[in-house]
Amino acid sequence: MLTRRHILGAIAALPTASWAAAGSPAFVAAAQEPSGDYALFGLSAQGDQTFRIPLPARGHAAAAHPTRAEAVAFARRPGRFALVLDCAQGQVLHRLEPPSGHHFYGHGAFLSDGRLVTTENHIDTGQGRIGLWSPDYRRMATLPSGGIGPHEVIRIPGTDRLAIANGGIHTHPDRGREKLNLDTMRPNLSYMENGEITESVELPSELHQASIRHLAARPDGTVAFAMQWQGDEYDPVPLLGLHRSGTPQLLSAPEPEQLALRGYVGSVAFSGNGEHVAITGPRGGVAHIYDVASGTHEVIHRPDICGTAPLGTGLAFTDGKGAVMTPAGPKLHLLRWDNHLVPLG
Amino acid sequence: MIRALALILWATTASADVETVVNSHILPRADAFAEATATLAATPCEPNQLREAFSKAATAWAGFAHLTMGPVEDAGRGRMVLFWPDSRNATDRGLRLVKSQGNDAWNADTIAKGSIAARGLGALERLIFEDNGEPCALTEALADDLAATAERIRTGWHDDFAPLMLTAGEPDNSRFFTEKEAMGALYTALLTGITYNVDQRLARPLGTFDDPKPLRAELRRSAQSVPMLTASLEALRELATTMTAAPDTEAVLTRVISAAKTLDDPSLSNLSDPSVRFIVEGLQSEIRSTRGLAEEEIGETLDLNEGFNALDGD
């Protein structure tokens, strides 16, 4: 059992470069380069590159350390490893592997003290797990995630409360990404405090095929959850929900615009001032930006738009065509930005 | 004048291909759809005349519906024109409601404010082919509304979206950051259109061998299910070959189109007959194969690809 003293001692032994040493990026994001290789990039608030670190394979998401210039890059699921990268030196510090019988599910997040949590699948039972890692990246615990197929986990700002998107879809690495339980799936949004699931929220039964997969949170504790519909693409179901307590509030555009998302949301983010929440639909090439207070929305058209994150008071977006879109205007890179744009801080 | 000249020079040097597709494929088809729906709106309430005009409007839409970007997508006009697939039978329910509202509700303005499921070709088809175009005032109102939507799509393309595609890469163009992105949008329309014919237009009525769903065929009441398919494939063939030489894609599409035209089941009502089913599944599989051919012949030649994230599924 690690004591607090051990953990603090371990931190002191690690490199302590701050994000300033990595060019003070506002975001990190993975991308495919023209050669076909993959890398993790730092991006400034203007959309310029601040660092580049090669990755051995396609990434899905990254988690950025709250203070140190370190990011954990997760492989696409079913992921067998995650890399801890020193973004100042451009080096791989650690290679994380889940305990045997588990694989990563694509996302992770840092707690305020530098411990890391990762979403995982317990392969034999198909039950979701949260892996807990010490600040020096040693495995500390394996905890139930509160459901099946946890995809994204986030820390609610200002707390060490976690929100977990249990997507509800059972997969087995022997069957690739095949979905094994579409008829019976029951996704949920779960909250974890001190390693315990404190609350799980399900959607009405007619939405049981809406896989809750991506999350964002506001400092007041409101969680936005984005869904991927496993039913008929022409059912205009809601793909975005907000939850703080009680029954979630579902947000949806008028039917024709809702169908333009093609049942699939890739990312969700609150704006910096918390007044808006954006979902991206790479299949439909659209993003919907909702005004949280009024529920009205506007639409952005960009092919393959997927990454989104808060920036200043507003929002930034990335797409698979290489664009980084910020309020300062678009910046084009000769890259294909991968699913997620991860904000720092 | 100088600005216009600069635009022409720019367009011919950097974006001639997009311009060719816009001028020879997109705009004529937007015009044809607007004209076919205007003709339908001007047709008197005589069942045979209505049926003929309806069928022309329907296939004009099938020959244009793959061009979902821009004016079709912007206000969700695609579903407004044709509310299909409709697995919950929302068109029947919506139309019953509109009928019950009576004559005062039967004008294009009121229709346009109502449920999109009770607008467009799906609602018109029921009135024209099941009720002989009665009540006439409602048929006329629906046809006027459809023609107005088609006209908005047509002017949207001519006035806004075609110029936007042809100025791709210019500093004030916030939709297409490069010329290649405009070509990429056409390529996406091509592949999405192919997939739609496979996964929606044919897969829905095919159902499974044990449980075929012929009543789910698109516009089956007017026996336009197969004509919609062939009109779409003809348009996709035109788009593909206008983008670049694509002989294999073209050859397979041509073969499928002529085979579909010999199919003696325009509403796909006989899909529980194994011999018909065998033929339709064969067509479906051939259409599916053109996706790969188009990727090789067009995607690789023009260095275009489908969405990196759209295909990721995570």
Side-chain angles (χ1 to χ4, degrees):
Chain A
M1 180 69 192
L2 286 166
T3 64
R4 180 174 168 77
R5 190 184 175 87
H6 282 117
I7 292 167
L8 289 173
I11 291 175
L14 285 167
T16 53
S18 72
W19 282 106
S24 297
F27 314 102
V28 296
Q32 186 185 41
E33 305 187 302
S35 62
D37 295 333
Y38 298 91
L40 186 77
F41 293 87
L43 285 170
S44 73
Q46 289 73 41
D48 297 313
Q49 293 175 22
T50 70
F51 68 80
R52 169 190 172 278
I53 303 175
L55 295 174
R58 183 168 181 182
H60 179 72
H65 191 282
T67 53
R68 302 197 303 253
E70 289 172 16
V72 183
F74 293 93
R76 299 170 78 227
R77 68 182 172 86
R80 296 292 188 181
F81 68 93
L83 297 179
V84 181
L85 305 167
D86 176 340
C87 298
Q89 302 294 322
Q91 290 169 346
V92 176
L93 294 176
H94 301 275
R95 180 188 165 97
L96 306 185
E97 290 179 12
S100 69
H102 296 70
H103 67 75
F104 288 130
Y105 247 147
H107 286 260
F110 280 97
L111 296 171
S112 57
D113 62 2
R115 284 179 296 170
L116 174 74
V117 289
T118 52
T119 54
E120 296 171 10
N121 181 19
H122 182 240
I123 296 167
D124 280 353
T125 61
Q127 292 297 311
R129 296 284 186 257
I130 296 295
L132 180 66
W133 307 75
S134 72
D136 57 347
Y137 304 107
R138 278 179 289 173
R139 183 75 170 195
M140 296 174 75
T142 303
L143 307 162
S145 75
I148 290 173
H151 186 57
E152 183 160 22
V153 57
I154 59 167
R155 179 170 69 93
I156 293 170
T159 73
D160 271 326
R161 194 172 185 228
L162 298 174
I164 303 161
N166 285 302
I169 299 175
H170 181 206
T171 59
H172 192 289
D174 292 350
R175 311 261 301 260
R177 289 185 163 202
E178 189 182 342
K179 298 161 183 169
L180 304 173
N181 65 333
L182 289 184
D183 290 342
T184 58
M185 60 185 281
R186 299 272 341 167
N188 71 51
L189 166 65
S190 289
Y191 295 91
M192 179 180 277
E193 288 175 80
N194 299 316
E196 302 280 339
I197 299 296
T198 55
E199 186 181 1
S200 286
V201 183
E202 283 193 3
L203 297 174
S205 59
E206 67 269 20
L207 293 178
H208 83 95
Q209 287 185 315
S211 179
I212 300 173
R213 300 178 75 71
H214 291 111
L215 302 171
R218 232 167 40 169
D220 72 347
T222 304
V223 170
F225 56 96
M227 295 169 272
Q228 295 175 1
W229 178 240
Q230 306 298 320
D232 189 329
E233 183 184 321
Y234 285 85
D235 287 340
V237 297
L239 298 170
L240 169 65
L242 297 175
H243 181 256
R244 194 169 167 198
S245 60
T247 307
Q249 174 197 357
L250 299 176
L251 296 173
S252 190
E255 174 161 341
E257 291 177 43
Q258 190 66 16
L259 290 176
L261 290 164
R262 302 191 52 200
Y264 183 93
V265 169
S267 286
V268 58
F270 278 107
S271 61
N273 62 13
E275 291 174 9
H276 294 91
V277 59
I279 50 174
T280 55
R283 292 186 179 167
V286 289
H288 289 181
I289 304 173
Y290 284 89
D291 181 308
V292 175
S294 69
T296 58
H297 77 290
E298 56 181 306
V299 180
I300 293 178
H301 295 274
R302 275 296 297 168
D304 214 30
I305 190 167
C306 200
T308 180
L311 174 62
T313 59
L315 287 155
F317 297 90
T318 52
D319 64 44
K321 307 295 177 190
V324 180
M325 290 158 283
T326 68
K331 283 269 165 66
L332 264 189
H333 302 255
L334 270 178
L335 296 169
R336 298 168 168 187
W337 294 111
D338 220 321
N339 297 260
H340 297 294
L341 180 63
V342 179
L344 264 69
Chain B
M1 177 63 199
I2 288 171
R3 185 179 154 77
L5 188 65
L7 199 68
I8 292 164
L9 284 174
W10 184 87
T12 48
T13 51
S15 191
D17 298 278
V18 171
E19 190 183 24
T20 306
V21 175
V22 167
N23 288 333
S24 69
H25 178 70
I26 299 176
L27 296 180
R29 286 174 177 274
D31 294 345
F33 174 56
E35 281 155 22
T37 55
T39 302
L40 175 61
T43 301
C45 267
E46 193 282 311
N48 288 330
Q49 289 184 52
L50 281 174
R51 285 172 188 176
E52 189 186 334
F54 173 89
S55 301
K56 286 183 176 159
T59 48
W61 173 244
F64 183 73
H66 59 291
L67 299 164
T68 53
M69 66 285 217
V72 169
E73 171 188 73
D74 284 349
R77 292 192 181 113
R79 291 288 273 179
M80 237 173 250
V81 170
L82 176 52
F83 195 88
W84 187 90
D86 178 18
S87 56
R88 293 168 303 157
N89 215 356
T91 297
D92 272 355
R93 275 185 285 124
L95 196 55
R96 268 203 302 279
L97 179 68
V98 175
K99 281 180 178 172
S100 73
Q101 287 167 338
N103 199 49
D104 289 349
W106 298 343
N107 57 74
D109 285 347
T110 310
I111 296 288
K113 293 189 184 101
S115 158
I116 56 161
R119 297 172 69 180
L121 293 164
L124 276 164
E125 185 198 38
R126 283 164 172 80
L127 285 180
I128 293 172
F129 288 83
E130 293 183 332
D131 300 331
N132 288 319
E134 298 295 336
C136 180
L138 178 54
T139 302
E140 285 177 345
L142 285 167
D144 287 345
D145 171 57
L146 174 64
T149 303
E151 182 60 23
R152 283 190 201 100
I153 291 170
R154 192 186 76 80
T155 54
W157 265 105
H158 279 274
D159 297 349
D160 299 322
F161 210 74
L164 199 59
M165 291 195 88
L166 297 178
T167 58
E170 292 190 4
D172 57 350
N173 191 322
S174 64
R175 183 68 182 264
F176 299 104
F177 296 155
T178 62
E179 306 91 24
K180 199 171 153 186
E181 285 190 1
M183 202 53 151
L186 298 169
Y187 179 64
T188 299
L190 174 69
L191 295 189
T192 308
I194 292 170
T195 304
Y196 185 85
N197 283 302
V198 173
D199 289 347
Q200 306 296 337
R201 204 163 254 147
L202 290 178
R204 287 199 179 248
L206 275 167
T208 60
F209 185 86
D210 294 327
D211 190 16
K213 304 277 188 194
L215 294 181
R216 294 194 179 169
E218 181 189 36
L219 296 182
R220 63 177 172 84
R221 295 169 180 81
S222 55
Q224 291 299 304
S225 313
V226 173
M228 295 292 279
L229 174 73
T230 54
S232 171
L233 296 178
E234 282 166 349
L236 293 169
R237 180 178 60 182
E238 181 181 283
L239 172 58
T241 54
T242 308
M243 287 179 76
T244 189
D248 292 350
T249 310
E250 183 180 14
V252 176
L253 284 173
T254 299
R255 193 162 71 226
V256 174
I257 291 162
S258 38
K261 283 183 173 171
T262 63
L263 199 67
D264 190 23
D265 184 12
S267 58
L268 295 172
S269 56
N270 298 326
L271 290 173
S272 45
D273 176 339
S275 62
V276 174
R277 187 175 181 86
F278 181 77
I279 295 169
V280 175
E281 282 180 345
L283 296 178
Q284 185 191 33
S285 149
E286 285 220 84
I287 299 167
R288 188 182 287 119
S289 78
T290 63
R291 224 190 122 89
L293 296 173
E295 283 170 0
E296 283 172 29
E297 293 185 316
I298 300 168
E300 287 178 21
T301 305
L302 301 179
D303 190 28
L304 301 170
N305 51 68
E306 261 209 302
F308 184 55
N309 296 309
L311 299 176
D312 183 51
D314 213 336

